[in-house]
């Protein structure tokens, strides 16, 4: 607004960075498709609006990227594969359209785990390669919105849009030390993304801060006539988000579930984060999250059955072109029966009823984001990929409840491991109550006494 900087200048910096970051060793591989002309067109239009003092929204002139799962004109809608999106897109997904209408500068589409089938972000195929964790480039970003988290953490853009069917926004956000919001199921339209799993996937922003996530959420969260699941939602608000304290809020903690099985070193910082929220007036209520093992199994049955159903033609026709772990996951999915799927959905009804009761006594449920920090990338992964089912199961431990029942979840970075890798904290709330997550998230950011700069970081304002 002051005129010291223009969107056009920022866009030129970003183009230089995009050219540089994939020539580096190893290449960052956050943004997998971009177009200099497109970026400059949007930036120049925004520059004129700032000059004429008629900006469209808080996102006017702000660089954003979208996961390759979304249709974005004029890019290829590959969804992490080598066989989809043979022609450039001619129509935007709803979120891409809304970002354009808000004046945002779409800098390209971001890398992802092939067809969203994994939680590492390992995608060795020729169009994608493996996105690198800006904190430690020989470690994974997490998936499946891998490039989105890497782009935000590395400073390429302060906002990226991802999808989350089993932690796919929250896992990479946590591994890369940024903020990730999974909206309530149906809250943000997923029209124009590949409908891989229609009952578990929510859309959400990955951002540098909770305030940024709130801005993006407030612009994207509303009913879309083209997306039936979110039509009857209540109006999205940011009520009490900036309240000075957390007085009156009750945080539910299931301490048995909360205990992190892998990384004992992370426990003290996670406990301290809970104490920090208590010091601001929140009270901690012990709750019991029932049947979490059943939730884990039922979520896997639902998401994989739905993906296998949708991808059946691809599995038959493009099997040889798929990554090995995609083939393995879809082959596993073919073993589930209709009875398994029906039983899993009965479990969903039970779990939603349990949560409804729990949310009569607490405002939110807090957990670690992940039971571990970002895993290493091995040389062989670059060539053949990686299939580690036990890691996928572990990484989704705290994520699946939100996907299975549709409640919203927010992850916020709260510290670092001894090796310098980010540690995240998760807050989940009842359906449509994202506002309480953002309120608590702002206070969690105050707990983090330092933010370490990643080893790969670009200052696009410099």
């Amino acid at each position: 607004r002051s005129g010291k900087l223009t969107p056009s200048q920022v866009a030129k910096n970003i183009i230089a960075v995009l050219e540089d970051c994939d020539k580096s060793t190893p290449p960052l591989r956050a943004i997998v498709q971009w177009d200099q002309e497109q970026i400059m067109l949007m930036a120049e239009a925004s520059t004129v609006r700032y000059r004429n003092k008629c900006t469209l929204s808080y996102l006017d002139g702000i660089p954003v990227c979208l996961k390759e799962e979304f249709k974005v004109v004029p890019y290829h809608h590959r969804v992490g594969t080598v066989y989809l999106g043979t022609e450039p897109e001619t129509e935007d997904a709803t979120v891409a359209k809304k970002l354009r209408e808000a004046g945002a500068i779409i800098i390209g589409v971001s890398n992802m785990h092939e067809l969203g089938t994994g939680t590492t972000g390992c995608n060795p195929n020729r169009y994608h390669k493996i996105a690198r964790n800006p904190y430690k480039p020989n470690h994974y970003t997490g998936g499946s919105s891998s490039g989105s988290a890497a782009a935000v953490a590395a400073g390429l853009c302060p906002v990226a849009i991802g999808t989350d069917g089993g932690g796919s926004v929250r896992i990479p956000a946590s591994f890369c030390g940024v903020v990730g919001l999974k909206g309530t199921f149906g809250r943000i339209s997923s029209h124009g993304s590949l409908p891989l799993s229609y009952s578990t996937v929510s859309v959400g922003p990955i951002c540098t801060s909770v305030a940024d996530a709130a801005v993006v959420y407030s612009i994207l969260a509303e009913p879309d006539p083209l997306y039936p699941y979110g039509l009857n939602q209540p109006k999205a608000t940011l009520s009490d988000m900036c309240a000075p304290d957390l007085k009156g809020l009750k945080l539910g903690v299931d301490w048995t579930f909360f205990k992190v099985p892998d990384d004992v070193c992370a426990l003290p910082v996670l406990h301290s984060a809970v104490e920090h929220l208590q010091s601001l007036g929140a009270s901690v209520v012990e709750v019991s999250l029932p049947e979490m093992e059943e939730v884990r199994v039922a979520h896997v049955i639902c998401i994989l059955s739905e993906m296998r159903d949708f991808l059946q033609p691809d599995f038959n026709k493009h099997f040889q072109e798929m990554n090995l772990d995609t083939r393995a996951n879809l082959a596993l999915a073919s073993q589930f029966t209709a009875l398994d799927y029906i039983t899993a959905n009965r479990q969903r009804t039970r779990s939603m009823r349990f949560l409804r009761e729990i949310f009569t006594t607490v405002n939110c449920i807090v957990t670690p984001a992940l039971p571990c920090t970002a895993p290493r990338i091995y040389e062989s992964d670059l060539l053949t990929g990686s299939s580690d089912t036990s890691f996928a199961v572990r990484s989704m431990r705290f994520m699946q409840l939100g996907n299975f029942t549709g409640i919203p979840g927010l992850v916020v970075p709260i510290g670092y491991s001894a090796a310098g890798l980010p540690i995240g904290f998760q807050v989940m709330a009842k359906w449509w109550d994202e506002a309480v997550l953002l309120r608590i998230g702002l206070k969690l950011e105050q707990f983090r006494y330092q933010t370490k700069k990643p080893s790969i970081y670009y200052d696009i304002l410099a």
Side-chain angles (χ1 to χ4, degrees):
R1 282 178 183 161
S2 69
K4 283 180 190 164
L5 198 63
T6 67
S8 297
Q9 283 170 281
V10 175
K12 282 175 186 155
N13 293 350
I14 289 169
I15 290 161
V17 163
L18 288 170
E19 285 170 345
D20 178 70
C21 67
D22 278 340
K23 286 181 191 149
S24 61
T25 310
L28 181 63
R29 298 306 292 155
I31 308 292
V32 287
Q33 298 181 60
W34 58 279
D35 182 294
Q36 182 170 335
E37 197 181 327
Q38 290 287 324
I39 296 170
M40 287 313 299
L41 275 173
M42 285 181 267
E44 280 155 13
S46 179
T47 299
V48 170
R49 289 193 294 271
Y50 272 97
R51 195 180 302 136
N52 297 334
K53 297 190 167 37
C54 61
T55 50
L56 298 169
S57 79
Y58 286 123
L59 284 183
D60 206 326
I62 302 296
V64 304
C65 69
L66 291 96
K67 185 180 186 177
E68 203 182 53
E69 198 170 321
F70 293 99
K71 293 180 177 179
V72 183
V73 179
Y75 303 109
H76 295 265
H77 188 217
R78 291 191 179 118
V79 200
T81 71
V82 294
Y83 65 84
L84 286 173
T86 50
E87 297 297 320
E89 271 312 309
T90 54
E91 201 178 326
D92 277 329
T94 296
V95 283
K97 191 163 162 277
K98 287 180 83 69
L99 289 167
R100 281 190 212 275
E101 287 166 358
I105 301 169
I106 297 173
I107 66 167
V109 292
S110 49
N111 206 344
M112 63 177 285
H113 202 110
E114 186 180 59
L115 296 167
T117 55
T119 60
T120 56
C122 179
N123 189 353
N125 74 40
R126 67 180 182 273
Y127 287 138
H128 298 89
K129 303 299 177 204
I130 296 173
R132 302 300 182 129
N133 191 318
Y135 276 90
K136 279 194 184 280
N138 59 344
H139 285 247
Y140 281 111
T141 54
S144 63
S145 309
S146 49
S148 297
V152 172
L156 302 182
C157 51
V159 175
I161 308 298
T163 58
D164 191 316
S168 286
V169 159
R170 292 162 294 156
I171 291 170
S174 190
F175 277 157
C176 292
V178 288
V179 172
L181 172 66
K182 179 198 93 73
T184 303
F185 177 76
R187 177 62 106 177
I188 298 173
S189 172
S190 71
H191 173 76
S193 71
L194 204 67
L196 293 165
S197 165
Y198 51 84
S199 79
T200 67
V201 175
S202 296
V203 177
I206 294 174
C207 299
T208 40
S209 71
V210 174
D212 289 354
V215 169
V216 181
Y217 165 74
S218 66
I219 286 170
L220 296 182
E222 66 175 6
D224 172 12
L226 300 170
Y227 183 65
Y229 300 121
L231 285 180
N232 296 322
Q233 61 177 276
K235 191 165 172 53
T237 71
L238 300 176
S239 59
D240 293 334
M241 180 180 149
C242 298
D245 54 41
L246 299 177
K247 281 183 183 141
L249 287 186
K250 292 177 179 165
L251 317 177
V253 186
D254 182 334
W255 289 113
T256 313
F257 184 61
F258 191 98
K259 286 193 180 106
V260 181
D262 295 22
D263 193 345
V264 186
C265 308
L267 265 178
V269 71
L270 290 160
H271 280 283
S272 298
V274 176
E275 286 163 10
H276 168 73
L277 298 177
Q278 280 179 288
S279 74
L280 291 164
S283 55
V284 169
V285 178
E286 284 198 39
V287 295
S288 170
L289 295 172
E291 301 179 3
M292 290 308 292
E293 182 57 20
E294 287 81 352
V295 165
R296 184 180 74 75
V297 174
H299 166 263
V300 168
I301 290 168
C302 285
I303 191 169
L304 282 182
S305 296
E306 289 167 9
M307 288 175 91
R308 175 65 205 232
D309 169 53
F310 180 73
L311 294 168
Q312 183 70 27
D314 301 50
F315 192 71
N316 292 340
K317 197 173 166 190
H318 298 285
F319 182 81
Q320 294 302 334
E321 296 162 272
M322 289 176 171
N323 290 339
L324 295 172
D325 69 320
T326 308
R327 296 185 210 174
N329 284 321
L330 292 175
L332 167 68
S334 68
Q335 302 305 302
F336 298 134
T337 65
L339 185 61
D340 293 330
Y341 186 70
I342 290 164
T343 309
N345 275 291
R346 285 183 176 147
Q347 178 63 45
R348 196 196 307 254
T349 308
R350 280 176 68 84
S351 297
M352 289 172 82
R353 192 168 69 239
F354 293 142
L355 281 178
R356 213 166 264 129
E357 286 167 20
I358 288 168
F359 285 128
T360 60
T361 58
V362 298
N363 300 91
C364 63
I365 295 164
V366 297
T367 71
L370 290 154
C372 57
T373 51
R376 268 202 67 147
I377 298 170
Y378 292 96
E379 282 299 309
S380 59
D381 299 353
L382 305 174
L383 299 170
T384 55
S386 163
S387 184
D388 185 344
T389 309
S390 69
F391 171 76
V393 169
R394 285 201 321 278
S395 61
M396 291 195 295
R397 173 183 168 90
F398 300 110
M399 301 284 141
Q400 292 171 291
L401 184 63
N403 295 113
F404 189 51
T405 63
I407 59 172
L410 176 76
V411 297
V412 178
I414 55 164
Y416 304 89
S417 69
L421 285 161
I423 295 168
F425 190 92
Q426 178 175 235
V427 194
M428 294 180 283
K430 67 178 184 288
W431 300 270
W432 316 115
D433 198 6
E434 287 88 348
V436 79
L437 299 183
L438 296 162
R439 179 181 171 186
I440 295 166
L442 281 177
K443 299 296 183 264
L444 273 172
E445 281 183 323
Q446 296 169 4
F447 166 75
R448 190 174 77 237
Y449 68 93
Q450 63 171 156
T451 301
K452 292 181 180 170
K453 195 171 269 193
S455 57
I456 300 175
Y457 185 78
Y458 296 94
D459 184 352
I460 56 166
L461 301 183

